[in-house]
Amino acid sequence: MWPNKTARSIRPIAVSSVIAILAYFDLSIACVAQEAAPNTQVNEIEEIIVTARRREESLWTVPGSVSAFSERQLRDLQATDMRQVQYAVPNFHFQRSDSSNAAVYLRGIGQNDSLPFVEPGVGVYIDDVYVARTQAAFLELFDVERVEVLRGPQGTLYGRNSPGGAVKLITRQPTDEFEAYAELGAGNLNAKIYNGRISGPLSSDGRWKGKISLSGVKRDGYSENPVLGGSDGDTNTLSFRSGLHFEPSDNLNFALRWEGKSERPNRSLTPIRKTPLTLFPDPVGDPFNPVTYLPTEEAFGSPYVVEGTANILADLTTHGASFKSTWWFKDDWYLESITAYRRLSWDFVLDADSTPLPVLDIPVYEDADQFSTELRVAYESDSGLSFTGGVFYFNDHDIVLAGFDDASASFEFGGLFFPIISIGVPSGGYGESDQRTRSIAAFADVTFPISDTTSVEIGARYTNDEKEVTRRGEFFFDPTLSLSLDRPPFLAGIGFPSENLQDKHDWNAVTPRAVLSHQPNDSLTLYASVSRGFKSGGFPGRAFAGSEFEPFDPETVWTFETGIKGRDPENRFTYSAAYFNNDYNDLQLNGFGQDPVTGQFVSLFTNAASAKIQGLEGVASYRPNDRFSIDASLGYLNAEYEEFETLVNGVLTDVSTRRLPNAPEWTGFLGVTYSHQLTPGIAGTFHFDVAYKGDHANESSDSPNLAVAAATYLNAFVSIAASDQSWEVRVGGTNLTDKARAAQSFNTAEFSGVETAFMGAPRLYDIRLLLRFE
C-alpha cells in the first residue's frame, strides 16, 4: 500500500522533474537557436486528432490519459513496431517474446502467456477491429496515419478485454490525389528493408479511392548457436495493407480494408539459460551419466549465445478484412457499422531449455478464426452534447495443439539426479484445446454540458462472454521419439490417450465510466474519472486432468484518475499530468512447476492475487522555434499485491511480497529533434532520444535470476532531405549503447531445473533511402 505521506511527496517531485527538464531546454536551446537563426518563425506543435472516445477531437482536450503519435513522430522514434513507441509512453510495456507473441502491459496490467486460453489485458485494435490473438497483435508500423495508446480501463467504448488500456493503430486513408513512396534500407545483421505505398483516386469524380502498401524485413538472428551453427531468431516478414473507399453521396461512405502478414524465419527465437541445468545425454543406453549445462553467460561470456536444437519452426500467417459504412442520416446523427474477419495460423517449436537435449521442447500448432461486428449510433452537437451507443458481437474459434518433449529431464533425490522416465513419467505429451468464444455486448455513453465550461460524461457497457472448451491429450513413453522433430500424428495410436475434458461457462460484467471535465478556456482541461475494466475468464489450456480443468474467473479493475492538460496560446508548449489509483482483483497469473507426486510438468494458472496500483504520469512537448522540438514523459508506479498465494515446491505459499510483472517503478523519456536548412533545397535533421526503464520482474515468480535490471536506452538518426520531401536519406540506430536486457522470461526451475530468458534486440542500425512521388 502506498502511504499518504509518500503520495503527497512524490507528486510534486515527479511533476517538478518534468517542468525542470523542460525549463532547462527552454532557456538553453532557445538561446542557441537565437544565435544561429534570430529571424526563424515559431514552430507550432502538430495538433493530432484522435478517436479515443469514438469521435474526432483534439488530443489536447480529451479528458483522459491518451498518447498519440503521427506518422512523422513514429519516424522520429525509428518505430518499425510498438517496441520503440513503448519508451515514449509512461508506464507502458510492449515486447516481443517467444515467436511473435506480443506481451503488452499498461500501468502494470497485462498478460504474457502466448497460448489462446487466456485473454490479453490490453486490447490491440487495427482500424477499430479488435485483434484477439497476441501473435497477430505484433503489428508493423507502416502505412500508418497515427497510433493511439489509451491508458486506463477501456470498459465502455472499447470493452473487449481492455482493463489495462488499449493500443489503436489507424492506417492511412486512400488519398484524393495520386501519391506514392518507396523506401529501401540495409543494416547490420545483413538487414534488408523495403516499404512502399501507392494511393489515389480510382474514378474521375473522386468517389472511388484506393491504396496498397507493402513492407518487408529480412535480418539475421542476433543469437549465435554453436550447436547448429549460424544464428537464431532471424527475421523474415512480408506484410501488406490495402484499402478501397467509395463515397456515393456526401452523407454516405464505405471503406473496405484487407491486410495480411507472413513470417518465415529459418529458426525460432531461443532463450538463454539463466541457471545451470543437469541432463541425461543418453537416457536409454546410459541413463545415469548426467551432464551439467552452465548458465549461458557463464559458459560463453555472452547473453547472445544459445544451444537449442529444436528451434526449427516459427511460421506465422495472419489475414484480416473489414468493411465499414458510415451514414449521416441527420445533421448531427450518424450510424456506423464495422464488420470484420481475421484468420491466424501459427506453427512454432520452442527449445525452452536452450540445450541440445529434449528436456523442455515445446511444439505449438494453432489455427484461429475470429468474426466481429459492431453497430453504433452517435450524436454530436455544437452545444457539447454527444451520445454514442451500440451493440457488439464477437465469435472466435481457436484450435491449438501444444506438446512437450522431456526425455532428458531429471529429478533430484538424496543429492543425486535421475531421469524422470526411470520412474514411469512420460517422455512427451500432446494436448489439444478446441475453444469457442462468443461475446455479446451493449453500450452507451453520453456527454452533456452542465455549464459553459464544465461537462459530465457517463457511460456503461454490459458484456456476456461464453466459452466452450474441449481438451484431448496423449502421452508418449518412447524417449527416442521427438514430438518437436518427428511430429508424430495426434491420437494415431502411437501414444496413450489421456482423459477427455469438456466444459462450458459464461461470465457477465457491467463496466461503467464517469468523467467530470472542466475547461475554463481553450488552453486548459481538468478532469476526474472513475471507470471499471473487465477481462474474460476461461479454462486452463495446459490441463490434462479434470482436477486441473476448473474455470478461472475474470479479472476486474476499478480505476480512479484525475488529471490536467494544457497548452500555451501559441501552441509551442503542451503538457499533461495524471494521478491514478487501480483496485485490481482476481489477477490471472501463470507459473510452471512440478507435480509433487508424479514429478511431471504442470502449469499453474489461477486467479492468484489482488493488487493495488497507483502512480503518476507526465507528458510534455515544447517547440522553442522552427528548428528544435523537445518531447518528454515520466511515469511512476507503486504496484503491490494485496493477496497472492501459489504453489512453491508443492506447498501453497503466501508470495504477496513479489513484484508485479512488467511494472517498473520509474519510466522516462526525452527526445530532441534539430532541423537546419543546409541549402535552399536541402534540409538536415538530427534526432536523439533517451529512454529509461527501471528494474522490474517480467514473470510472475519474480525470480532474482530473471529480474531485469534498470537500463537507459539511446537511439539517434541523422538525415538529409529535399525541402519538398521528394527524397530523404537517413542513417540511424536503436539501442546504441548495446544494452542486453530480457524481453520475457520463464521460470521452470521446479520441473526442469532451469530458468530462461528471451533477450531483446542488441544495437541495430541501418541506412535508408526514401522517395516520394506526387
Side-chain angles (χ1 to χ4, degrees):
M1 193 69 185
W2 189 6
N4 290 334
K5 181 178 179 181
T6 306
R8 289 194 299 268
S9 62
I10 201 67
R11 291 184 66 183
I13 292 175
V15 176
S16 63
S17 298
V18 174
I19 294 173
I21 292 172
L22 294 169
Y24 170 79
F25 279 98
D26 187 3
L27 295 174
S28 60
I29 294 181
C31 292
V32 172
Q34 287 173 2
E35 291 177 5
N39 297 319
T40 54
Q41 298 294 318
V42 172
N43 182 28
E44 292 187 359
I45 294 176
E46 176 184 9
E47 182 173 17
I48 301 178
I49 302 300
V50 298
T51 54
R53 294 196 292 177
R54 294 296 182 101
R55 58 180 183 265
E56 293 186 351
E57 53 190 336
S58 171
L59 172 65
W60 300 328
T61 61
V62 176
S65 295
V66 182
S67 295
F69 302 88
S70 66
E71 185 177 40
R72 182 192 62 79
Q73 291 171 319
L74 294 171
R75 287 190 60 82
D76 285 351
L77 292 172
Q78 303 179 80
T80 56
D81 55 56
M82 291 298 297
R83 283 176 294 187
Q84 288 303 116
V85 177
Q86 68 172 314
Y87 299 113
V89 180
N91 299 319
F92 185 32
H93 175 92
F94 197 111
Q95 287 285 9
R96 180 176 184 148
S97 54
D98 53 322
S99 186
S100 297
N101 179 42
V104 191
Y105 285 73
L106 274 166
R107 295 176 171 177
I109 298 176
Q111 183 58 246
N112 61 7
D113 200 308
S114 59
L115 292 187
F117 69 90
V118 59
E119 308 285 357
V122 175
V124 175
Y125 299 79
I126 178 169
D127 292 325
D128 283 339
V129 175
Y130 175 69
V131 181
R133 299 279 71 85
T134 57
Q135 292 79 21
F138 199 85
L139 300 169
E140 280 76 20
L141 299 181
F142 72 100
D143 189 38
V144 173
E145 179 183 309
R146 68 183 183 278
V147 167
E148 300 177 15
V149 181
L150 285 56
R151 307 191 295 278
Q154 304 300 315
T156 302
L157 297 175
Y158 300 88
R160 184 72 196 152
N161 297 316
S162 302
V167 176
K168 293 180 54 183
L169 188 152
I170 295 91
T171 63
R172 288 177 60 93
Q173 304 280 341
T175 52
D176 295 327
E177 303 291 336
F178 172 81
E179 68 172 39
Y181 86 88
E183 182 179 11
L184 299 173
N188 65 327
L189 301 178
N190 293 317
K192 299 176 181 62
I193 304 150
Y194 50 93
N195 296 294
R197 179 176 67 239
I198 298 176
S199 177
L202 300 177
S203 63
S204 58
D205 59 5
R207 294 194 179 277
W208 287 92
K209 295 179 288 186
K211 69 159 189 179
I212 186 167
S213 60
L214 295 171
S215 176
V217 178
K218 295 189 70 173
R219 191 190 296 269
D220 292 346
Y222 47 79
S223 294
E224 298 179 16
N225 190 323
V227 179
L228 298 179
S231 61
D232 279 35
D234 58 302
T235 300
N236 184 7
T237 67
L238 177 63
S239 304
F240 76 91
R241 292 185 180 130
S242 61
L244 182 65
H245 280 209
F246 175 51
E247 189 175 344
S249 65
D250 292 341
N251 61 349
L252 179 65
N253 61 73
F254 303 98
L256 178 65
R257 292 281 198 272
W258 181 34
E259 48 90 15
K261 174 182 177 180
S262 171
E263 289 190 6
R264 295 294 186 271
N266 293 321
R267 296 179 185 168
S268 60
L269 190 63
T270 300
I272 65 169
R273 293 187 307 276
K274 300 292 286 187
T275 52
L277 179 60
T278 300
L279 302 178
F280 294 84
D282 187 359
V284 178
D286 187 6
F288 300 104
N289 183 25
V291 173
T292 298
Y293 289 83
L294 297 175
T296 297
E297 293 186 75
E298 184 176 335
F300 299 100
S302 169
Y304 295 113
V305 179
V306 297
E307 293 185 278
T309 55
N311 53 340
I312 58 172
L313 185 64
D315 290 354
L316 173 71
T317 303
T318 67
H319 291 279
S322 66
F323 180 74
K324 178 181 179 180
S325 60
T326 306
W327 176 36
W328 289 87
F329 59 92
K330 285 189 176 181
D331 290 342
D332 298 327
W333 288 87
Y334 68 91
L335 184 68
E336 190 168 74
S337 70
I338 302 177
T339 301
Y341 172 80
R342 297 189 63 86
R343 177 168 176 77
L344 173 142
S345 176
W346 184 47
D347 296 333
F348 172 62
V349 179
L350 168 63
D351 196 318
D353 54 276
S354 189
T355 70
L357 302 177
V359 61
L360 194 57
D361 298 341
I362 302 174
V364 179
Y365 311 104
E366 180 182 1
D367 288 288
D369 298 87
Q370 72 170 70
F371 170 83
S372 63
T373 186
E374 183 174 77
L375 182 65
R376 294 196 308 268
V377 61
Y379 170 78
E380 297 181 39
S381 71
D382 295 335
S383 67
L385 178 65
S386 66
F387 168 82
T388 301
V391 291
F392 173 79
Y393 174 79
F394 174 84
N395 190 290
D396 177 64
H397 184 204
D398 192 285
I399 300 177
V400 58
L401 178 66
F404 64 91
D405 284 328
D406 62 354
S408 295
S410 62
F411 70 97
E412 184 180 4
F413 181 77
L416 299 176
F417 289 92
F418 300 90
I420 62 172
I421 61 171
S422 65
I423 58 172
V425 175
S427 60
Y430 273 141
E432 181 193 71
S433 292
D434 187 331
Q435 176 175 283
R436 295 178 182 270
T437 301
R438 189 269 301 152
S439 178
I440 57 174
F443 58 92
D445 183 90
V446 60
T447 300
F448 55 91
I450 58 177
S451 74
D452 292 340
T453 59
T454 306
S455 64
V456 173
E457 178 184 357
I458 298 176
R461 187 185 193 98
Y462 170 79
T463 302
N464 175 266
D465 282 356
E466 180 182 87
K467 290 189 177 182
E468 183 175 3
V469 182
T470 300
R471 266 194 68 78
R472 302 182 298 168
E474 183 176 18
F475 292 113
F476 300 86
F477 292 86
D478 181 358
T480 65
L481 178 68
S482 170
L483 275 64
S484 302
L485 302 178
D486 301 329
R487 297 185 67 173
F490 180 53
L491 292 177
I494 300 174
F496 296 85
S498 66
E499 178 183 358
N500 283 346
L501 308 173
Q502 186 173 11
D503 205 347
K504 180 169 67 173
H505 200 81
D506 69 297
W507 298 270
N508 301 306
V510 176
T511 48
R513 169 179 163 85
V515 185
L516 175 66
S517 62
H518 178 63
Q519 291 182 301
N521 54 59
D522 293 339
S523 301
L524 184 65
T525 299
L526 305 168
Y527 69 91
S529 67
V530 59
S531 57
R532 186 175 191 251
F534 160 83
K535 187 177 84 167
S536 183
F539 293 87
R542 298 184 180 91
F544 281 97
S547 59
E548 304 170 351
F549 198 58
E550 294 297 320
F552 52 86
D553 294 328
E555 286 184 355
T556 59
V557 59
W558 277 100
T559 297
F560 168 78
E561 180 176 329
T562 182
I564 181 173
K565 292 184 172 184
R567 54 178 171 168
D568 73 333
E570 296 180 333
N571 290 341
R572 296 173 56 212
F573 176 63
T574 66
Y575 62 92
S576 66
Y579 164 77
F580 60 90
N581 189 317
N582 294 335
D583 186 8
Y584 190 20
N585 293 298
D586 293 320
L587 278 69
Q588 300 166 0
L589 293 174
N590 66 336
F592 305 101
Q594 187 174 28
D595 189 294
V597 178
T598 67
Q600 190 174 336
F601 169 78
V602 293
S603 169
L604 312 172
F605 197 95
T606 58
N607 297 103
S610 62
K612 286 285 188 182
I613 306 173
Q614 45 186 339
L616 293 163
E617 295 169 344
V619 179
S621 296
Y622 181 49
R623 305 291 183 266
N625 53 54
D626 65 347
R627 295 183 180 182
F628 279 96
S629 64
I630 306 164
D631 300 282
S633 68
L634 186 67
Y636 173 82
L637 269 185
N638 183 286
E640 296 179 349
Y641 290 112
E642 291 190 307
E643 299 177 14
F644 186 6
E645 289 187 337
T646 190
L647 290 175
V648 177
N649 296 320
V651 178
L652 191 64
T653 305
D654 179 5
V655 293
S656 56
T657 57
R658 293 179 179 175
R659 296 177 296 177
L660 273 71
N662 299 316
E665 185 176 17
W666 290 99
T667 56
F669 173 84
L670 175 66
V672 178
T673 304
Y674 173 74
S675 298
H676 183 72
Q677 199 71 33
L678 302 176
T679 71
I682 298 178
T685 300
F686 171 72
H687 169 91
F688 79 88
D689 57 74
V690 180
Y692 173 81
K693 180 174 281 192
D695 62 283
H696 61 280
N698 68 355
E699 44 78 40
S700 59
S701 76
D702 193 13
S703 167
N705 293 319
L706 301 176
V708 181
T712 300
Y713 302 91
L714 175 64
N715 314 296
F717 74 81
V718 61
S719 72
I720 58 171
S723 298
D724 61 0
Q725 299 297 304
S726 59
W727 60 266
E728 180 183 358
V729 177
R730 191 190 73 187
V731 178
T734 57
N735 191 14
L736 293 177
T737 53
D738 208 20
K739 297 290 186 181
R741 294 294 183 270
Q744 186 191 23
S745 302
F746 285 115
N747 185 351
T748 58
E750 285 195 28
F751 169 69
S752 62
V754 67
E755 298 174 3
T756 56
F758 293 90
M759 300 305 295
R763 180 191 298 116
L764 299 177
Y765 51 87
D766 58 58
I767 179 171
R768 303 193 188 199
L769 169 66
L770 178 65
L771 302 174
R772 292 185 177 90
F773 308 93
E774 295 181 353

